[in-house]
Amino acid sequence: MAKSSSRPSDQAVIHDQKLVRGDGGELHQVAQGSTPVLTTAQGGPVADDQNSLKIGARGPTVLEDFHFREKIFHFDHERIPERVVHARGYGAHGYFETFESLAKYTRADIFQRAGEKTPAFVRFSTVAGSKGSVDLARDVRGFAVKLYTQEGNWDIVGNNIPVFFIQDAIKFPDLVHSVKEEPDRAFPQAQSAHDNFWDFISLTPESMHMIMWVMSDRAIPRSFRFMEGFGVHTFRMVNAKDESTFVKFHWKPKLGLQSVAWNEAVKINGADPDFHRRDLWQSIQAGNFPEWELQLQLFDQDFADHFDFDVLDATKLIPEEILAPIPVGRLVLDRMPDNFFAETEQVAFMTQNVPPGIDFSNDPLLQGRNFSYLDTQIKRLGGPNFTHIPINAPKCPFHHFQQDGHMAIRNSAGRVNYQPNSFNDGPRESPQRGFRSFAETEQGPKQRIRAESFADHYSQARQFFISQTPPEQGHIAAALTFELSKVQTPVIRERMVSHLLHIDEGLANKVGDGLGLKAMPKPADAAIATRRDLGAAPSLSIVENGPHRFEGRKLGILVTDGTDAALLKALTAAVAKAGASFEVIAPKVGGAKASDGSLIEAQQMIGGGPSVLYDAVALLPSQAAMAGLVKESSARDFVADAFAHCKFIGYVEDAMPLLEKAGIADSLDEACVALSGPKDVAAFLQAIGALRQWAREPKVNMS
Ligand code: HDE
């Protein structure tokens, strides 16, 4: 008689218990009473998932083993092509809430009723790196929003920077080829610091405004939750009378803006390459839902005609000081996807997804994107039916006659699959409700040409630079110097400095000096001289728009055996009350014993939780633990880095030997706050709202 194919001795582990999380996050083992039966993809129950079907215990595997073949076949096809750009991303669900009717400007259904909630899905991303690259690469961040409106999906496929590198979509493949890894050597990964990128950029003066942004700390955000988002292009809103108003879309984070320092970014990438993913995951799981306000810059053709740049040129912005954006709604992210692949990886954003009442401008970058996004989805998702995937399907009623093709999940029912038809069957178009393009008059010769109004490449780059605070200007100079120092071809470095001379001479000299140029180059040939009369616009600075409270941030608390239990309790309670979070870092991840004998649970050991992972730190070691602590380089680095990164540091008197060993005991400033007991906690929490002590920067040279 044949033996059963599955014997207990064949199985690595027999699971008759499973782990579940309790209210406090702790894990318990429970018996698996209600566990569902494993099935094939066809729904057939599986008896043995540990052994393939064989002829005899040591014989060949048989082709008949349909469960094995289905499992391996599916595994073989698990990967789909990653996005050619924006491959690394992370998404979340939420909703958009309309503040008041915008019927005056648009007939878009989403803007008709105050208080209306529309489901949303958002995907944040880096651009250059592949799917498995690090989160804190210096890069633009994608900020793509899908709004499932009652009149179809509306995708605002934006970035965290309001301008772009190029003016015409035909240059996009060149830009992206230049920034991605070089084709012969396949490196560097997720890095713009290499010859090809800077070669292309230095030969493309229209990119200079964007270069100022990507060399600023905007390109190394602290978290997705502290970033702005921008639609970048000028779009149109069209009302029921078919009147058009130009519009630019801005997402403003409720928590304010915040970025990390480059030296932090480099270290975070090693300590936690998933820093941004983890941050979004943890905040949403903890019920701290990130929120942005949608603000609109609305203007007409007369207003646009006042500028000597073109509102169709995506390398330009309209400063908020000149045209104040008006808040029209809020976006809240309150749920992580159930499955990363099904939702975040397969979501297909397309600029051409606009509902009636939203329309395009002639921005040549936007026009090109409207072709690209449909094309890219077909390649990535394997066929024309990607709208059948739940994350991409509209949530409003929809009816059409498109049918068949790969993975057709829902063809329309019935006999008639065309129109017009004589059976009065199926959907018909509606001139009233349907999408009507704004009837702009177009005329002119057919030609390949860039408008003269697109020719000023330096004035807004200069305006951005002079709008930054001194520390931010220093970071731009340092970033340019770092990036260009990785360029091996001297002429490319010089060519870049020749552009900087049109933006700011001080910046050019600083970078030229940092690169060790023997002589400064001549300024690059410029189509149009830089305007020097564009004033500083504080809305462009991160520091000017930073937070004043600790809400949404994270405190790192260093403890040891003997840590003052009352102080720790007061501190963690105050952090929670402020809407912030904390992690406890101890010599061992198993925790430490507080002064009252209680166990302090730790989330990190010191080597695994460096201070770069936190917005501020508190040092609460005991005197007894100090002898051991000062010998640990990770403990010294924890303190020295927090100081060097201009962070606020709370410390107990017993921590002084560690501050001494870290070399900062003699340099303590007002952002180093003594914590002598619970009474000092309120003042510390108030102080850390400022996040960084910029006055310290010239002393520590953070860049
Ligand atoms: Fe994209 N872009 N892009 N882009 N883009 C893609 O579409 C493209 C541009 C942006 O989280 C691709 O589905 C062209 C500007 C985001 O899934 C592709 C041009 C802005 C995302 C594509 C641009 C963006 C993409 C690759 C030049 C900011 C990620 C995968 C005209 C306003 C969306 C995909 C997500 C993705 C084409 C320039 C934002 C190839 C041709 C400007 C946020 O279709």
Side-chain angles (χ1 to χ4, degrees):
M1 221 184 88
K3 273 192 194 165
S4 150
S5 66
S6 176
R7 296 166 303 188
S9 58
D10 294 334
Q11 309 202 3
V13 186
I14 305 281
H15 290 282
D16 55 2
Q17 300 241 291
K18 68 175 174 182
L19 293 172
V20 294
R21 241 173 232 290
D23 291 347
E26 71 286 359
L27 290 167
H28 303 285
Q29 286 207 326
V30 296
Q32 283 196 341
S34 57
T35 305
V37 172
L38 180 74
T39 70
T40 65
Q42 308 280 353
V46 172
D48 183 345
D49 191 41
Q50 318 298 323
N51 304 288
S52 56
L53 188 64
K54 299 177 198 75
I55 309 294
R58 301 180 59 247
T61 306
V62 297
L63 208 54
E64 185 189 308
D65 188 348
F66 58 84
H67 168 52
F68 165 77
R69 277 193 296 137
E70 182 198 80
K71 187 174 174 183
I72 292 293
F73 143 83
H74 200 279
F75 168 77
D76 292 344
H77 294 261
E78 270 179 13
R79 299 287 168 269
I80 62 173
E82 65 174 33
R83 289 163 173 85
V84 58
V85 281
H86 297 265
R88 182 170 177 81
Y90 209 54
H93 293 272
Y95 61 87
F96 176 79
E97 185 177 351
T98 306
F99 286 161
E100 56 192 300
S101 168
L102 289 181
K104 187 174 156 203
Y105 298 108
T106 176
R107 69 188 181 100
D109 183 74
I110 186 174
F111 289 125
Q112 300 310 303
R113 296 164 294 277
E116 168 119 349
K117 284 192 178 168
T118 303
F121 186 80
V122 178
R123 183 175 179 272
F124 304 105
S125 49
T126 51
V127 179
S130 62
K131 232 184 109 180
S133 55
V134 289
D135 272 351
L136 266 160
R138 174 176 294 285
D139 202 349
V140 191
R141 296 300 181 289
F143 192 126
V145 182
K146 190 180 279 293
L147 299 164
Y148 303 89
T149 87
Q150 285 307 303
E151 289 192 332
N153 292 350
W154 177 22
D155 296 350
I156 307 179
V157 198
N159 280 344
N160 75 330
I161 289 178
V163 290
F164 202 62
F165 293 98
I166 48 173
Q167 295 172 322
D168 190 312
I170 200 168
K171 297 307 299 167
F172 194 61
D174 299 294
L175 166 72
V176 174
H177 288 178
S178 82
V179 71
K180 285 219 163 206
E181 61 269 29
E182 299 185 6
D184 53 352
R185 60 211 66 187
F187 62 80
Q189 166 71 229
Q191 276 257 36
S192 52
H194 61 117
D195 283 54
N196 284 11
F197 177 70
W198 288 102
D199 187 30
F200 176 82
I201 291 298
S202 65
L203 295 169
T204 310
E206 72 205 55
S207 64
M208 288 307 143
H209 186 194
M210 179 70 167
I211 284 299
M212 287 295 108
W213 284 80
V214 285
M215 291 300 111
S216 80
D217 295 344
R218 295 264 179 173
I220 39 174
R222 152 70 175 84
S223 138
F224 302 132
R225 300 178 297 128
F226 304 117
M227 294 186 329
E228 288 178 310
F230 301 94
V232 175
H233 313 280
T234 297
F235 288 83
R236 291 177 183 277
M237 285 190 150
V238 182
N239 66 15
K241 291 190 234 155
D242 289 325
E243 295 160 338
S244 150
T245 307
F246 287 125
V247 60
K248 280 180 171 277
F249 300 109
H250 299 216
W251 297 106
K252 299 281 180 179
K254 189 178 152 202
L255 295 170
L257 301 184
Q258 189 187 345
S259 281
V260 302
W262 176 243
N263 186 270
E264 279 180 293
V266 170
K267 291 173 177 166
I268 291 171
N269 282 334
D272 185 3
D274 305 305
F275 189 65
H276 285 160
R277 289 186 170 193
R278 195 182 307 278
D279 174 88
L280 193 65
W281 171 270
Q282 287 183 338
S283 328
I284 292 181
Q285 301 300 46
N288 294 325
F289 302 139
E291 185 173 330
W292 289 260
E293 204 166 72
L294 178 62
Q295 301 189 355
L296 307 182
Q297 282 185 309
L298 291 160
F299 56 100
D300 59 17
Q301 189 65 56
D302 280 351
F303 182 85
D305 292 343
H306 277 100
F307 297 116
D308 43 8
F309 65 86
D310 203 316
V311 296
L312 302 182
D313 171 0
T315 69
K316 306 294 186 302
L317 53 78
I318 304 175
E320 294 181 4
E321 286 74 2
I322 294 179
L323 180 59
I326 54 163
V328 298
R330 68 187 187 117
L331 172 71
V332 179
L333 298 182
D334 58 2
R335 182 166 63 87
M336 289 310 296
D338 292 331
N339 181 271
F340 173 83
F341 185 88
E343 295 158 78
T344 309
E345 195 56 18
Q346 294 199 115
V347 64
F349 291 96
M350 309 207 287
T351 48
Q352 62 273 41
N353 280 355
V354 288
I358 305 292
D359 206 345
F360 311 110
S361 71
N362 285 350
D363 175 343
L365 207 61
L366 178 57
Q367 296 279 323
R369 294 179 74 197
N370 286 345
F371 165 76
S372 176
Y373 288 73
L374 176 59
D375 198 32
T376 213
Q377 308 314 344
I378 292 167
K379 161 82 179 156
R380 256 175 42 76
L381 299 170
N385 290 319
F386 60 87
T387 53
H388 295 201
I389 303 172
I391 192 73
N392 295 322
K395 295 193 195 295
C396 61
F398 56 94
H399 314 275
H400 55 74
F401 295 119
Q402 291 161 25
Q403 65 172 31
D404 299 355
H406 280 288
M407 313 285 171
I409 288 166
R410 34 155 206 272
N411 282 348
S412 56
R415 178 181 181 185
V416 174
N417 56 356
Y418 56 90
Q419 62 106 340
N421 64 66
S422 312
F423 305 102
N424 199 17
D425 208 357
R428 291 301 301 260
E429 65 268 45
S430 158
Q432 292 74 39
R433 283 199 49 205
F435 185 90
R436 297 189 300 270
S437 293
F438 176 67
E440 196 177 13
T441 306
E442 307 289 359
Q443 60 176 12
K446 195 190 290 177
Q447 57 191 343
R448 291 183 184 277
I449 199 165
R450 198 77 60 92
E452 272 306 309
S453 50
F454 282 43
D456 179 357
H457 302 321
Y458 299 111
S459 301
Q460 287 207 350
R462 177 178 182 281
Q463 183 176 35
F464 177 78
F465 184 73
I466 63 166
S467 302
Q468 306 302 307
T469 58
E472 291 171 300
Q473 290 188 339
H475 299 176
I476 294 174
L480 280 161
T481 310
F482 171 84
E483 294 264 322
L484 293 171
S485 77
K486 300 281 180 184
V487 170
Q488 294 162 341
T489 313
V491 68
I492 299 176
R493 295 185 215 138
E494 284 161 27
R495 207 188 292 138
M496 264 318 296
V497 175
S498 76
H499 289 295
L500 298 180
L501 283 164
H502 287 299
I503 297 172
D504 186 89
E505 239 176 274
L507 172 65
N509 287 330
K510 211 165 171 184
V511 175
D513 184 47
L515 292 171
L517 294 192
K518 302 283 171 290
M520 283 298 275
K522 285 207 196 73
D525 289 341
I528 286 191
T530 312
R531 283 184 61 167
R532 310 249 148 201
D533 59 333
L534 301 181
S539 62
L540 302 178
S541 149
I542 301 173
V543 171
E544 297 282 4
N545 297 282
H548 302 291
R549 54 192 196 285
F550 203 62
E551 183 187 349
R553 272 84 183 169
K554 197 185 256 186
L555 182 69
I557 309 177
L558 184 75
V559 304
T560 60
D561 283 343
T563 282
D564 179 341
L567 176 58
L568 179 64
K569 197 167 163 221
L571 187 59
T572 53
V575 168
K577 196 167 159 221
S581 60
F582 66 87
E583 266 186 5
V584 170
I585 305 106
K588 292 184 182 165
V589 76
K593 204 183 249 188
S595 57
D596 63 357
S598 62
L599 173 76
I600 310 173
E601 279 191 30
Q603 284 74 46
Q604 305 277 2
M605 67 171 191
I606 304 174
S611 60
V612 290
L613 302 182
Y614 309 105
D615 298 296
V617 296
L619 312 174
L620 313 186
S622 68
Q623 195 184 20
M626 203 36 78
L629 211 55
V630 292
K631 287 197 204 119
E632 281 204 38
S633 64
S634 55
R636 298 195 302 269
D637 287 351
F638 187 95
V639 177
D641 268 354
F643 190 79
H645 297 143
C646 301
K647 284 182 181 156
F648 279 75
I649 301 174
Y651 65 98
V652 294
E653 191 58 32
D654 288 339
M656 276 319 281
L658 187 58
L659 298 176
E660 268 159 35
K661 281 282 176 194
I664 63 166
D666 297 333
S667 322
L668 299 186
D669 53 31
E670 58 272 32
C672 303
V673 182
L675 298 170
S676 59
K679 67 174 175 38
D680 294 336
V681 162
F684 179 60
L685 252 289
Q686 174 79 20
I688 62 179
L691 294 177
R692 287 191 207 260
Q693 172 72 348
W694 291 114
R696 191 190 295 156
E697 194 175 11
K699 289 176 226 148
V700 291
N701 194 9
M702 182 160 77
S703 312

